Amino acid sequence: MNHAESSAVKNLLRSRQWQEASSADSADLVIINTCSVRITAETRVVGRIAHFTACKRERDLTILVMGCMAERLHEEFKTRFPAVDYVVGMFERSRFEAIFSAIESRYSKGDPLDYIPSPDAAGGYRFFSNSLEEGAFQAYIPIMNGCNNFCSYCIVPYVRGREVSRDITSILSDLDNLAARGVREVTLLGQNVNSYRWQDSLTGAMIDFPALLERIARHLDNTSGIKWVRFMSSHPKDLSDDVIAVIARERVFCRYIHLPVQSGSNRILGEMNRRYTREHYLSLVDRIRTAIPEVTISTDILVGFPGETEEDQQQTLNLVETVGYDAAFMYHYNPREGTKAFDMPNWISEPVKKARLDQVIRLQHSLAAQRMRSRVGSEPIALIESTSRNNPDELFGHTEFGDMVVFASPADHALIGRFVRVQLTLLRGRTFRAKIVEIEPEVAERR
Ligand code: SF4
C-alpha cells in the first residue's frame, strides 16, 4: 500500500515538472513514507531523519514525512524532529498540492545566495523518496483503504481509519491508464479487499468484491495489455465462495492467493480477534484448491503472541505442514502501543519468540523447497521484467504463481514486458532456470 501511495505522490511531483534524484544527496526535497506496523520500521525512519537532519546543516533541503507513522505521531513528530518541514498524516493527502506549491515558490523566490542548488538540479527541482517503485510492467491499484477488523495486535485501523472503498469507475480508469503506459500486471490493494463495497450510481446496485472482480474481468477484454490481475490481502473470514468462483472462471486472475493465517491455534486466533478458527481456515484452503487445483497459496504467520504456549506453537507448525504453503511472511510479535494486545499479560521473551520463529521458518522453507522442486518440468507462463542482475545476457521474470525465473535462452531484449510460456528446467536456490516454449501465449482466455 505504501508503494502505491509513494507512486501517487511521485506522479504528482512529476506532473509539476519535478525530477527524481538518483539519491538523497542530490535532492532538494526528501520524502519519507513511513510504516507503523512494526517498531523496526519506525526505528529506521528515526535513523533516516537523523541522517537528513545532518544533510540539512550542509545545504538547503526540505524534509517531508508522510504515512502511518506521520499519522500516529503527528504533533510529537514536529517537536521531536524540528528539521522535518512537513508532516502529512494519512487523512491529509489533499495538502500535497499546497505544500509542493509552497516549496516551489520558496526555492524560486529565495535569495540565490541562500539557495545552494543540488549538484544535478539543472532543469528543475529534484526529489527523493525512500520507497521502492513498482516495476515498469507491474502496478498497484488501491481499491479500498482502512480496516474495521481490529485484530488485537494491529495498529492499522488506528492509523488508517475505517474501511473506505474507491469508486469503481476510478478503478477501471486506473486500469485503462496503466494499460496505456504498457503495464501488463496489476495488483488490487486493500487492507481487506474482500470488504470492498461500492454503490453503483447508475443502477443503484451494491458492488461487492466478487462483483468488482467480474467487472474488471469484463473490462479487461482481449484488447487490453493487462493480462494478469492479483489482489491482496484477503481476510480468511471474508474470502467467499463467490470470490473463489470468479477466480476459477476468469483466467485474468492469477492462480495465487495470499491468505494470512497468523496462527494455527484456535485459542491464539481468538486472542488475536481474527474471528475464524483453524477448521474454517483449513476448509477454505480445501475449497480454493478444489475450485482452482493449480493455485499457489501464501500466508502471514505471527509467532510469540502474548500468552502463546508450546502447545499453540505446535499447532501452528502442524497447520503449516497441513496446508503446504508456497510462500510465507513470518515474523514474531511486536508490541504496538495503543493496541489491545499491548495490554495483555504474559509477554513472550525475545529469545523464545526468536526460537519459535526460527522453527516455523525452517519448517516452511523446507516444505516450500519441496513444492518448488516438484514444479521443475512444468510449463507456466511468465512475465519478462528485465535482464538478469547477474548476467545481462539473460532475462529475468516471474510466473503467475510468484516463482522467479531466469531464461537460459540467449537474451532478446525485445521480449522484456512480454508474456512467454517457459519450461522450468532447474531450481537454483529460489530461482528457476527456464527455457522459452512460446511467446505471448493466450494468457487470459476464459475457462
Ligand atoms: S485485518 Fe487485522 S491485521 Fe489486517 S489490517 Fe485489519 S486489523 Fe490489521
Side-chain angles (χ1 to χ4, degrees):
M1 194 62 112
N2 270 21
H3 292 174
E5 285 158 1
S6 291
S7 288
V9 174
K10 285 180 183 189
N11 287 338
L12 178 60
L13 281 165
R14 285 190 192 112
S15 74
R16 302 178 69 102
Q17 313 309 319
W18 285 68
Q19 295 170 28
E20 188 158 2
S22 51
S23 77
D25 297 336
S26 57
D28 303 295
L29 164 65
V30 169
I31 301 172
I32 305 173
N33 191 1
T34 59
C35 172
S36 273
V37 169
R38 295 174 63 78
I39 189 80
T40 41
E42 291 200 348
T43 309
R44 267 204 303 273
V45 168
V46 171
R48 297 270 179 124
I49 292 175
H51 171 74
F52 295 131
T53 302
C55 297
K56 204 167 166 165
R57 285 191 207 108
E58 307 292 315
R59 64 189 177 83
D60 199 350
L61 177 66
T62 303
I63 304 174
L64 184 154
V65 180
M66 61 182 279
C68 296
M69 191 178 172
E71 176 65 36
R72 197 173 82 77
L73 299 175
H74 208 287
E75 290 312 309
E76 189 184 331
F77 226 112
K78 290 181 184 161
T79 330
R80 257 178 85 190
F81 308 106
V84 172
D85 299 276
Y86 299 98
V87 179
V88 183
M90 295 306 298
F91 306 100
E92 301 178 308
R93 280 171 277 190
S94 57
R95 287 177 58 210
F96 277 121
E97 289 267 9
I99 289 174
F100 295 152
S101 293
I103 299 170
E104 288 157 11
S105 90
R106 185 169 74 77
Y107 281 157
S108 61
K109 287 190 201 136
D111 182 340
L113 292 177
D114 258 7
Y115 173 55
I116 304 164
S118 49
D120 56 358
Y125 307 123
R126 291 183 173 249
F127 69 93
F128 179 73
S129 166
N130 69 322
S131 175
L132 296 170
E133 195 164 13
E134 67 265 44
F137 306 108
Q138 297 159 273
Y140 300 110
I141 300 184
I143 61 164
M144 53 87 65
N145 184 36
C147 185
N148 296 351
N149 285 320
F150 289 91
C151 300
S152 60
Y153 53 84
C154 182
I155 193 99
V156 166
Y158 303 95
V159 289
R160 285 189 178 264
R162 299 301 92 78
E163 292 164 356
V164 181
S165 296
R166 270 184 78 201
D167 181 346
I168 186 167
T169 50
S170 66
I171 296 171
L172 298 180
S173 111
D174 276 5
L175 282 170
D176 294 339
N177 293 336
L178 291 169
R181 268 175 35 195
V183 165
R184 317 257 11 224
E185 172 184 0
V186 297
T187 303
L188 310 175
L189 289 179
Q191 269 71 43
N192 181 15
V193 287
N194 304 105
S195 298
Y196 180 86
R197 282 180 85 72
W198 183 261
Q199 188 159 23
D200 192 316
S201 53
L202 290 178
T203 64
M206 189 57 79
I207 300 169
D208 59 8
F209 187 54
L212 173 72
L213 294 182
E214 281 280 6
R215 287 278 289 273
I216 287 175
R218 293 288 77 72
H219 192 77
L220 296 176
D221 59 14
N222 288 334
T223 57
S224 172
I226 297 174
K227 302 290 185 199
W228 280 355
V229 179
R230 304 175 189 272
F231 53 84
M232 71 190 301
S233 283
S234 285
H235 197 299
K237 77 176 166 53
D238 297 324
L239 185 89
S240 66
D241 288 342
D242 287 345
V243 172
I244 299 171
V246 182
I247 304 167
R249 193 166 58 239
E250 304 291 349
R251 200 57 190 87
V252 75
F253 298 111
C254 290
R255 272 62 186 122
Y256 173 96
I257 295 182
H258 185 66
L259 198 58
V261 67
Q262 308 300 3
S263 172
S265 153
N266 279 339
R267 195 181 67 79
I268 294 295
L269 287 171
E271 294 287 307
M272 288 177 168
N273 193 29
R274 293 290 288 173
R275 288 182 281 166
Y276 55 83
T277 60
R278 148 193 193 104
E279 291 73 24
H280 169 88
Y281 186 92
L282 290 173
S283 134
L284 182 57
V285 168
D286 274 351
R287 295 201 306 277
I288 292 171
R289 287 193 167 139
T290 305
I292 317 162
E294 67 276 33
V295 74
T296 53
I297 298 179
S298 62
T299 197
D300 297 338
I301 298 169
L302 168 52
V303 302
F305 189 79
E308 184 189 71
T309 62
E310 267 310 316
E311 170 57 23
D312 297 319
Q313 164 79 353
Q314 288 308 317
Q315 292 195 21
T316 297
L317 293 169
N318 176 277
L319 182 131
V320 167
E321 199 148 11
T322 308
V323 174
Y325 293 106
D326 295 277
F329 301 92
M330 297 162 279
Y331 48 107
H332 62 63
Y333 173 70
N334 214 262
R336 305 306 287 127
E337 205 170 345
T339 61
K340 228 171 157 189
F342 189 83
D343 298 321
M344 288 182 181
N346 304 321
W347 284 20
I348 308 299
S349 71
E350 287 297 312
V352 171
K353 281 199 284 192
K354 287 200 170 102
R356 287 183 186 167
L357 179 60
D358 194 46
Q359 248 185 336
V360 175
I361 289 175
R362 268 189 285 123
L363 174 65
Q364 168 55 24
H365 282 178
S366 89
L367 294 171
Q370 273 173 32
R371 293 178 70 81
M372 287 183 86
R373 280 195 293 275
S374 73
R375 294 204 278 279
V376 171
S378 66
E379 297 190 353
I381 292 171
L383 173 58
I384 304 184
E385 293 169 57
S386 61
T387 52
S388 152
R389 218 173 351 160
N390 299 331
N391 181 352
D393 289 332
E394 289 183 334
L395 296 174
F396 170 82
H398 64 278
T399 70
E400 71 175 300
F401 310 113
D403 289 325
M404 293 181 290
V405 287
V406 171
F407 301 88
S409 61
D412 176 355
H413 290 207
L415 289 179
I416 293 176
R418 300 186 70 183
F419 289 99
V420 292
R421 187 177 294 285
V422 292
Q423 186 182 60
L424 307 181
T425 53
L426 189 72
L427 177 62
R428 221 176 255 162
R430 298 190 54 75
T431 305
F432 286 98
R433 295 200 67 82
K435 63 181 183 199
I436 294 177
V437 175
E438 187 186 357
I439 294 170
E440 288 286 342
E442 196 56 50
V443 291
E445 83 274 13
R446 296 187 71 193
R447 284 187 148 195

